[in-house]
């Protein structure tokens, strides 16, 4: 008679039900990314519609990311306290209202307010989806589930580059953005009908809320873990080059600096997204099977990205050849999957009751870097008369800062992780039969 499979105490079973519930949550994130990145294909149209310069244009994305980054720790705390379903519901309402407001905005000021509202709702999606995956799937599936969530998000980016761009140029600004807002209504209905926070029998332990002291303890305890800080800096260093390229400056760079048509530039942006999805599958499998590959993958991605950016910006001719732009866009596709590795450092460093908070801290990294670079590129373009070589050199400064912090924290994080692993094995051995 065969023995039943051994599972860790409290480890969720996974299965079809888990996949269906998780898929509902990920669909919300999918729509949020469509809305988040829709400005990336509409940057030149926004300049004409609102009569703004490069700095003012970058303010759209900077404000959106400022709100997003600033909301990460509060959202992590809310997810730990309220659960995934409630937080995602609030998020859908906010980002749908923001997208609709952006469609109808008659002025630059109201458009800014709409992007801020969208950023607030968007901020509530990814951390909640990570928590949902942790509640419905076994811990060993964590890296792969996280990468798959990122992959679905990049599919949302693909919709922006392929669908929103065509709607924008075929139907006009208001119809394209207002029509896309209907997707928010659809996922809200799915969320209310089908999403549950956790499988039956796997209810999380209720946490007593004791006001501001609870908030401070959650944040302080998460931050004390070297794995949380290492996760933040890995996310910081890896994500932003592709984010800046896709979110705003890729299209203007390819059209104005490289002399490509909008159609060709759109194809290269699509290549970034497709490569992101492919790298996501590969990185997820590697990290799930070989945990020690996390840091080499992250640092390798940073180094390769820096090398390709340097080659493109320093190319001796006025414009880089197409083959080099293709290679650059292919490598940028690895940035998103590499940033997900940051969560694989923060996750084992924190107990279940702090997962939302720790993920929120980690997720701040890439968006703070993206926001800083978006601003720097816009200011440098205005200051240098649209010299993209000087403007995009800001990428190297932030990469150097991030790599320095990663190298400083990696030893402490590795020692702490080994200590936790040994302690968990000892506890497992002494669990009474």
């Amino acid at each position: 008679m065969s023995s039943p499979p051994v599972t860790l105490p409290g480890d969720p079973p996974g299965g079809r039900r888990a996949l269906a519930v998780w898929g509902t949550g990920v669909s919300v994130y999918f729509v949020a990314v469509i809305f988040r990145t829709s400005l990336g294909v509409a940057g030149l149209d926004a300049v004409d519609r609102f009569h703004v310069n490069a700095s003012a244009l970058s303010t759209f994305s900077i404000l959106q990311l400022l709100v997003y980054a600033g909301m990460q720790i509060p959202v992590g705390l809310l997810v730990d306290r309220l659960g995934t379903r409630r937080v995602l519901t609030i998020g859908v309402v906010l980002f749908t209202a923001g997208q609709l407001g952006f469609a109808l905005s008659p002025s630059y000021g109201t458009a800014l307010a709409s992007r801020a509202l969208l950023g607030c709702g968007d901020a509530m999606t990814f951390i909640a989806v990570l928590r949902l995956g942790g509640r419905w799937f076994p811990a060993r599936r964590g890296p792969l589930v996280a990468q798959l969530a990122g992959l679905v998000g990049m599919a949302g980016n693909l919709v922006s580059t392929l669908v929103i761009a065509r709607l924008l140029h075929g139907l006009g600004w208001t119809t394209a953005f207002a029509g896309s807002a209907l997707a928010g209504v659809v996922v809200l209905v799915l969320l209310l009908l089908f999403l549950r926070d956790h499988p039956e029998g796997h209810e999380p332990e209720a946490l007593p809320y004791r006001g501001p002291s609870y908030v401070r303890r959650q944040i302080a305890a998460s931050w004390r873990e070297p794995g949380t800080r290492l996760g933040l800096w890995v996310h910081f260093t890896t994500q932003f080059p592709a984010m800046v390229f896709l979110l705003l400056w890729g299209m203007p760079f390819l059209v104005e600096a490289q002399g490509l048509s909008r159609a060709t530039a759109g194809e290269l942006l699509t290549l970034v997204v497709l490569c992101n999805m492919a790298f996501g599958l590969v990185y997820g499998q590697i990290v799930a099977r070989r945990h020690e590959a996390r840091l080499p993958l992250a640092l390798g991605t940073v180094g390769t990205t820096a090398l390709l950016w340097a080659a493109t910006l320093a190319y001796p001719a006025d414009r880089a050849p197409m083959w080099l732009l293709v290679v650059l866009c292919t490598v940028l596709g690895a940035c998103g999957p590499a940033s997900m590795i940051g969560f694989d450092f923060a996750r084992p460093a924190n107990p279940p009751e702090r997962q939302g908070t720790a993920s929120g801290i980690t997720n701040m990294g890439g968006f703070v870097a993206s926001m800083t670079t978006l601003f720097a590129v816009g200011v440098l373009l205005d200051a240098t008369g649209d010299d993209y070589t000087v403007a995009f050199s800001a990428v190297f400064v932030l990469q150097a800062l991030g790599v320095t912090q990663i190298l400083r924290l990696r030893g402490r994080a590795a020692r702490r992780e080994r200590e936790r692993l040994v302690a968990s094995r000892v506890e497992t051995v002494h669990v009474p039969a």
Side-chain angles (χ1 to χ4, degrees), residues 97-378:
Q99 185 78 341
L100 183 60
F102 194 59
L104 303 176
S105 292
S107 66
Y108 178 68
T110 55
L112 272 180
S114 297
R115 294 307 286 185
L117 187 63
L118 192 157
C120 187
D122 182 17
M124 297 185 173
T125 59
F126 187 65
I127 299 304
V129 168
L130 285 181
R131 174 63 174 265
L132 191 67
R135 289 297 185 193
W136 281 89
F137 292 97
R140 68 182 183 277
R141 301 292 185 191
L144 183 57
V145 169
Q147 287 287 357
L148 288 174
L151 187 151
V152 172
M154 289 311 298
N157 202 327
L158 190 62
V159 170
S160 289
T161 58
L162 294 179
V163 179
I164 300 293
R166 285 179 170 79
L167 290 175
L168 186 66
H169 298 130
L171 301 176
W173 180 282
T174 301
T175 303
F177 281 101
S180 66
L182 293 175
V185 178
V186 173
V187 294
L188 177 60
V189 173
L190 294 174
L191 166 64
L192 295 175
L193 289 177
F194 301 114
L195 193 135
R196 299 293 179 269
D197 283 344
H198 48 75
E200 293 182 11
H202 291 269
E203 293 81 0
E205 181 181 352
L207 297 176
Y209 179 73
R210 295 173 182 170
S213 63
Y214 162 80
V215 173
R216 287 195 298 269
R217 284 198 306 274
Q218 283 284 94
I219 296 173
S222 297
W223 185 253
R224 278 196 299 268
E225 292 292 344
T228 304
R229 284 175 279 146
L230 178 59
L232 179 146
W233 284 108
V234 167
H235 200 269
F236 177 100
T237 314
T238 52
Q239 187 200 48
F240 79 93
M243 177 70 75
V244 168
F245 197 78
L246 290 171
L247 199 61
L248 185 62
W249 291 121
M251 180 70 77
F253 169 74
L254 294 172
V255 172
E256 296 177 354
Q258 299 302 318
L260 302 181
S261 67
R262 281 199 181 196
T264 304
E267 290 171 358
L268 286 176
L269 294 180
T270 302
L271 176 64
V272 176
V273 177
L274 291 174
C275 290
N276 187 296
M277 297 169 73
F279 277 115
L281 289 173
V282 174
Y283 280 24
Q285 291 286 356
I286 292 174
V287 173
R289 295 176 182 179
R290 298 181 62 85
H291 225 44
E292 65 275 13
R294 292 172 298 172
L295 206 55
L297 276 177
L299 291 176
T301 302
V302 173
T304 307
T305 303
L307 178 64
L308 265 298
W309 261 123
T312 302
L313 296 176
Y315 196 78
D318 290 339
R319 294 168 181 171
M322 178 58 72
W323 68 263
L324 183 55
L325 295 176
V326 169
V327 175
L328 171 66
C329 290
T330 300
V331 171
L332 287 176
C335 292
S339 72
M340 300 298 296
I341 296 173
F343 298 101
D344 293 316
F345 286 107
R347 189 184 301 110
N350 292 272
E353 62 270 18
R354 287 207 308 265
Q355 289 296 314
T357 306
S359 295
I361 293 172
T362 300
N363 207 32
M364 282 181 62
F367 289 93
V368 169
S370 298
M371 177 179 60
T372 304
T373 310
L374 283 167
F375 176 74
V377 170

